[in-house]
């Protein structure tokens, strides 16, 4: 619908730093899971707020001051490139112009040194030494130098640093070799500039793997010269509803985009310069609709397909024919030429086998191949592709479903359906990347704030992301060595534009970065929470539009209508200090601290913000409560009806075609909303504001869980029950054929005389949810006339 939107060298080091007599002072290595050691000399500048936290940090006395006259020197193979890149970050984010190679070696310089004799337990290890007389960053490899340069940039970008870097020594190396982020460019397409922005931010958080999801049911995003229709046809879809119409003409307006091979090379080179490996994904045998739409002979059915404008799990699979396997190998051949990294991801997830089961051709091929069932047939496809990739010096990695068939020993498993697949894989001797949907999916909501973007049903807050450890206790020491690391995953069904993408990913990606880099015993949530505001400052410098919702205040009010008062509870999702005012002024460091529910007379205007060290973490929010507002609840404020299809999604309207859209919370298995404890004393009616959106979901075998109340009238009815959905029916009101011109309809539901007390109101619309469904925007109690 188109309704309106709502809501230094050794001498430098010795000159200014008193090194504590710790083993870490003498070696860059050490136990990768030991606690981070911090030694502070008397009178030292406080330790900086680095993310991720380094393995060892020793603070010294004094500081080094950066200026335009500071020489930036480089020695060793690859050091100059790292110095140049560091200078660019300093110039672009801090306005500090350093001149790589300028000046003479001596006092007051920053030296980048690649020393092959540097002793380290990882190619990413580095040592950073800062003294008032100069800075030295040293490593065995340019990669290690790059990681140390990220630390040095963070020191310079620390809030209030003003070009001063505290004297210190850091010996650092990562805990895990795989510290990844997956971006889905198939569902929604990102520009090269946005991808580069993400890669920069990954590098400055010491992440090293970019998993690029390039093919899916909704789009094929990589140019394959041998098969041009993959992008001619597969890179375009027609969005559902009004989103697929030109607002000026009403004509179809497809959503298109793909990366040329030159653009892919550009991204790969940009990532490689930052020592980030790009892992491409070609999803097989499922998530193949866009490819089959381009070349129907790849599928198993005669029905023509188009790239889908729906989300979910689809039945369309590549067939098992020899020609199809040759097609996949040809595609991989071109991809291998574009991606020099060691891994290629072949997907393997959510391959519903219904079409294979129904296909005589597939069944005959299974018998010929000796596959006992369809999963075994998928395993044979995986085995063939693993052999093909190995012949090209590549390693196959796939989602954990590939474990359900015999898997080549060399294959690596990415465990997404939890950690169980990773445990099974490690016990069988496979390398594992942990990426569980339960903890590391960035498209799940991060708070229950009404200001959240659209997203998946579960809430994965920052605390939960930080708490995840990729090494299960169930594994023994030998098996644990197979855990390569962890990866955050960002699928983009609900992520139409870049600002929403950055909201979903940040700051949660900082928690993933710390888990991947910092020794397990060195991680501490309370300490991370103290360092996080400094990281937000760095995000601002990088232009990252991180989520503000974890740093905002939420307010919940319960009114006493007879007394004309309200009890207002304030909270911050990350439990930062909350300060508030009730006089219309902006809250500041001297405003009252919230510590208990506020009992206030109505009307009241309340402003609140979460604070850290006397400064608000986000723009203060204003909440206005009066008698009228207390009678109304939005869909975010209503509960999910119990035991009635609890797959809650936060969905946006299908229109307007561009810009912001209305957002609705709805349980798609059974659309139903419940106002628990609604005070119906003195209430004559309930006004319900509804919108209508396309039902754009494919549920595969979960389709049987979808249900709805059958309609009895031509367009269905609005049902209101008291005491829950099985309680007394208060009203049945006919629904119109369509919403109004603004995309909404307001229905006034008269309540029976004598209705009163506190009731749990159940609100539903009857009728099939396909092809469109009614969604609730707001419900308002209407008082009886005086």
């Amino acid at each position: 619908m188109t309704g309106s939107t709502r809501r230094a060298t050794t001498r430098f080091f010795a000159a200014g730093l008193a090194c504590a007599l710790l083993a870490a002072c003498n070696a860059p290595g050490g136990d990768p899971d030991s606690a981070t050691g911090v030694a502070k000399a008397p009178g030292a500048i406080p330790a900086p707020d680095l993310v991720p936290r380094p393995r060892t940090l020793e603070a010294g006395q004094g500081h080094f001051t950066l200026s335009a006259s500071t020489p930036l020197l480089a020695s060793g193979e690859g050091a100059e490139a790292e110095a140049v890149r560091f200078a660019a970050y300093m110039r672009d984010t801090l306005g500090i112009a350093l001149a790589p190679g300028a000046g003479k070696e001596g006092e007051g310089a920053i030296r980048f040194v690649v020393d092959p004799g540097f002793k380290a337990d990882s190619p990413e290890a580095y040592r950073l030494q800062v003294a008032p007389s100069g800075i030295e960053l040293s490593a065995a490899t340019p990669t290690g130098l790059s990681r140390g340069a990220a630390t040095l940039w963070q020191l310079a970008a620390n809030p209030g640093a003003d070009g001063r870097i505290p004297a210190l020594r850091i010996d650092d190396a990562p805990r895990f070799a795989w510290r990844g982020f997956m971006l889905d460019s198939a569902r929604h397409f990102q520009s090269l500039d946005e991808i580069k922005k993400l890669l920069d931010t990954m590098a400055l958080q010491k992440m090293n793997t970019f998993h690029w999801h390039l093919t899916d049911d909704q789009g094929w995003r990589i140019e394959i010269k041998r098969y041009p229709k993959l992008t001619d046809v597969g890179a375009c879809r027609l969005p559902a509803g009004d989103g697929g119409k030109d607002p000026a003409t009403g004509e179809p307006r497809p959503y298109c985009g793909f990366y040329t091979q030159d653009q892919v090379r550009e991204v790969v080179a940009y990532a490689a310069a930052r020592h980030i490996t790009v892992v491409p994904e070609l999803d097989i045998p499922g998530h193949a609709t866009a490819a089959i739409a381009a070349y129907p002979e790849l599928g198993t059915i005669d029905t023509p397909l188009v790239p889908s404008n729906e989300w979910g799990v689809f039945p369309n699979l590549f067939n098992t024919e020899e020609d199809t396997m040759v097609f996949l190998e040809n595609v991989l051949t071109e991809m291998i030429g574009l991606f020099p990294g060691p891994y290629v991801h072949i997907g393997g997830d959510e391959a519903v086998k219904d079409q294979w089961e129904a296909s005589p051709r597939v069944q005959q091929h299974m018998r010929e191949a000796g596959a006992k069932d369809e999963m075994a047939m998928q395993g044979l496809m995986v085995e063939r592709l693993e052999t093909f990739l190995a012949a090209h010096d590549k390693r196959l990695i796939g989602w954990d479903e590939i474990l359900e068939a015999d898997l080549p020993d060399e294959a690596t498993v990415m465990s997404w359906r939890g950690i169980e697949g990773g445990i099974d894989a490690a016990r069988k001797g496979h390398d594992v990347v942990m990426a569980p949907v339960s903890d590391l999916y960035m498209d799940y909501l991060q708070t229950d704030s009404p200001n959240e973007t659209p997203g998946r049903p579960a809430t994965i807050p920052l605390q939960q992301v930080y708490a995840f450890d990729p090494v299960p206790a169930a594994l023994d020491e030998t098996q644990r060595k197979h855990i390569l690391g962890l990866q955050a995953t960002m699928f983009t069904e609900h992520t139409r534009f870049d600002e929403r993408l950055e909201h979903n990913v940040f700051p949660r990606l900082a928690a993933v970065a710390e888990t991947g880099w910092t020794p397990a015993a060195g991680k501490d949530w309370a300490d991370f929470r103290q360092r996080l505001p400094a990281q937000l400052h760095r995000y601002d410098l990088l232009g990252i539009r991180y989520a503000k919702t974890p740093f905002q205040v939420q307010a919940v009010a319960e009114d006493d209508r007879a007394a004309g008062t309200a009890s207002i509870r304030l909270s911050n999702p990350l439990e930062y200090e909350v300060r508030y005012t009730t006089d219309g002024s902006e809250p500041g460091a001297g405003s009252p601290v919230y510590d208990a529910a506020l009992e206030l007379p109505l009307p009241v205007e309340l402003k609140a913000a979460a604070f850290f060290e006397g400064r608000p973490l986000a723009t203060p929010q204003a909440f206005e409560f009066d008698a009228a507002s207390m009678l109304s609840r939005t869909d975010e404020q209503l509960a999910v009806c119990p035991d009635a299809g609890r797959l809650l999604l936060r969905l946006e309207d299908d229109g307007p075609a561009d810009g912001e859209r209305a957002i609705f919370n709805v349980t798609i298995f059974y659309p139903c909303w419940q106002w628990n404890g609604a005070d119906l004393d003195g209430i004559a009616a309930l006004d319900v504001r509804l919108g209508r959106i396309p039902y754009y979901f494919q549920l595969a075998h979960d389709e049987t869980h979808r249900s709805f109340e059958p309609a009895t009238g031509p367009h269905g009815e609005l049902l209101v029950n008291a005491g829950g959905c099985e309680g007394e029916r208060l009203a049945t009101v006919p629904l119109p054929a369509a919403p109004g011109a603004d995309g909404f309809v307001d229905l006034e539901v008269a309540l029976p005389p004598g209705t009163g007390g506190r009731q749990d109101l159940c609100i539903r619309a009857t009728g099939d949810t396909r092809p469109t469904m009614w969604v609730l925007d707001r419900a308002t109690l209407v008082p009886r006339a005086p």
Side-chain angles (χ1 to χ4, degrees), residues 31 41 74 194 213 250 271 303 332 398 535 537 670 678:
D31 180 1
E194 178 65 12
H213 188 84
T303 305
L332 286 172
Q535 191 69 358
H537 172 72
Y670 184 84

Side-chain angles (χ1 to χ4, degrees), residues 62-86:
H63 63 270
F64 179 84
T65 301
L66 294 165
S67 72
S69 62
T70 300
L72 179 54
L73 309 175
S75 63
E77 185 176 354
E80 184 176 358
E82 302 307 325
V84 169
R85 192 166 301 109
F86 171 74

Side-chain angles (χ1 to χ4, degrees), residues 88-128:
Y89 283 134
M90 295 293 289
R91 180 192 66 239
D92 296 344
T93 62
L94 298 171
I96 298 176
L98 302 174
K104 297 180 179 179
E105 182 175 349
E107 299 296 312
I110 301 173
R111 294 189 65 219
F112 278 35
V113 180
V114 173
D115 177 8
F118 184 89
K119 302 299 182 183
D121 57 3
S122 164
E124 297 183 271
Y126 69 91
R127 175 181 295 152
L128 176 63

Side-chain angles (χ1 to χ4, degrees), residues 355-685:
Q355 291 181 2
W356 281 8
E357 292 171 358
S359 169
R361 290 164 53 201
V362 172
Q363 292 299 311
Q364 176 63 28
H365 190 210
M366 285 172 55
R367 288 189 291 270
E368 294 170 355
K372 64 179 180 179
D373 55 25
E374 287 75 20
M375 196 65 227
M377 188 68 241
Q378 179 175 336
L380 291 176
M381 295 177 72
V382 171
E383 183 178 359
R384 174 161 171 172
L385 295 182
E386 191 281 329
T387 300
F388 176 83
L389 290 170
H392 292 78
D393 297 321
K394 300 292 184 181
R395 295 192 61 178
L396 179 147
I397 183 170
W399 301 110
D400 58 57
E401 282 95 332
I402 64 175
L403 273 170
E404 295 174 19
D406 291 337
L407 189 63
D409 294 342
E410 297 79 10
T412 299
V413 172
M414 187 169 282
S415 188
W416 77 274
R417 292 179 295 177
I419 64 172
E420 293 76 17
I423 293 172
D424 185 26
R427 285 173 172 168
K428 292 177 178 178
H430 297 288
D431 286 345
V432 174
V433 176
M434 287 294 192
V437 61
S438 56
D439 299 275
L440 298 182
Y441 269 42
M442 304 286 101
D443 49 326
Y444 282 66
L445 305 181
Q446 52 195 313
T447 75
D448 57 5
S449 166
N451 298 325
E452 284 294 346
T453 62
R456 299 218 203 177
T459 300
I460 304 180
L462 182 63
Q463 300 96 314
Q464 183 177 340
V465 177
Y466 190 83
F468 175 74
D469 191 279
V471 182
L475 297 179
D476 63 30
E477 199 61 39
T478 300
Q479 295 162 348
R480 292 181 182 186
K481 293 178 181 178
H482 285 294
I483 306 299
L484 300 180
L486 76 165
Q487 179 169 292
T489 299
M490 182 65 219
F491 285 112
T492 61
E493 289 97 330
H494 309 288
T495 315
R496 285 190 298 124
F497 41 83
D498 295 345
E499 185 173 3
R500 185 175 291 172
L501 169 64
E502 293 171 24
H503 172 105
N504 286 357
V505 173
F506 301 100
R508 288 185 291 188
L509 199 62
V512 178
E514 179 140 313
T515 297
W517 184 275
T518 302
K523 285 185 62 187
D524 180 87
W525 164 250
D527 178 64
F528 179 81
R529 181 176 161 276
Q530 291 291 108
R531 288 179 279 124
L532 187 57
Q535 191 69 358
L536 301 183
H537 172 72
R538 299 184 190 109
Y539 288 157
D540 288 334
L541 294 173
L542 293 167
I544 292 292
R545 294 158 291 188
Y546 60 88
K548 303 303 188 296
T549 47
F551 309 101
Q552 293 174 337
V553 173
Q554 298 181 37
V556 176
E558 294 292 337
D559 68 317
D560 184 330
R561 195 178 301 155
T565 61
S567 177
I568 304 172
R569 300 190 307 275
L570 304 178
S571 63
N572 170 256
L574 299 182
E575 299 182 344
Y576 286 106
E577 175 186 85
V578 172
R579 293 181 179 269
Y580 69 94
T581 64
T582 58
D583 60 1
S585 64
E586 296 294 302
S591 299
V593 176
Y594 174 82
D595 58 6
L598 305 173
E599 307 295 334
L600 299 171
L602 297 175
V604 61
E605 178 185 10
L606 187 149
K607 294 186 177 182
F611 279 74
F612 178 76
E613 294 185 344
R615 295 184 297 275
L617 291 168
T619 301
Q621 292 167 276
F623 305 94
E624 295 184 7
F625 302 101
D626 56 24
S629 68
M630 296 306 297
L631 294 171
S632 189
R633 298 289 187 272
T634 66
D635 52 302
E636 296 99 343
Q637 295 170 312
L638 298 175
V640 171
C641 296
D643 304 320
R646 300 178 65 88
L647 182 54
L648 176 67
L649 291 175
R650 184 157 171 78
L651 303 175
E652 67 173 2
D653 194 358
D654 59 308
D658 299 302
E660 295 286 350
R661 300 174 180 173
I663 299 173
F664 308 96
N665 282 9
V666 58
T667 51
I668 66 167
F669 280 179
Y670 184 84
C672 181
W673 298 262
Q674 192 155 297
W675 187 336
N676 292 326
D679 185 354
L680 301 183
D681 287 340
I683 298 301

Side-chain angles (χ1 to χ4, degrees), residues 254-299:
Y255 179 95
C256 303
F258 69 93
Y259 304 98
T260 67
Q261 293 197 0
D262 283 345
Q263 289 175 321
V264 170
R265 292 186 185 96
E266 186 177 342
V267 169
V268 170
Y270 195 89
R274 286 144 187 83
H275 305 279
I276 295 172
T277 300
V278 183
V279 179
E281 182 177 353
L282 164 62
D283 217 333
I284 66 97
H287 292 285
T289 302
I292 299 171
Y295 294 96
E297 64 271 20
L298 299 173

Side-chain angles (χ1 to χ4, degrees), residues 706-782:
R706 183 179 70 93
S707 62
F708 52 87
E709 293 296 317
T712 58
H715 307 302
E717 299 79 30
L718 179 68
L719 308 180
V720 179
N721 286 42
C725 296
E726 302 302 319
E728 175 190 0
R729 177 70 51 79
L730 296 181
T732 302
V733 177
L735 289 165
D742 66 348
F744 296 89
V745 61
D746 288 280
L747 299 176
E748 187 166 300
V749 180
L751 302 181
T755 302
R758 291 196 174 270
Q759 303 273 5
D760 293 343
L761 296 180
C762 170
I763 306 170
R764 295 166 289 174
T766 67
D768 198 335
T769 55
R770 288 188 183 274
T772 58
M773 62 179 172
W774 290 101
V775 288
L776 187 147
D777 179 66
R778 181 180 294 272
T780 303
L781 302 176
V782 181

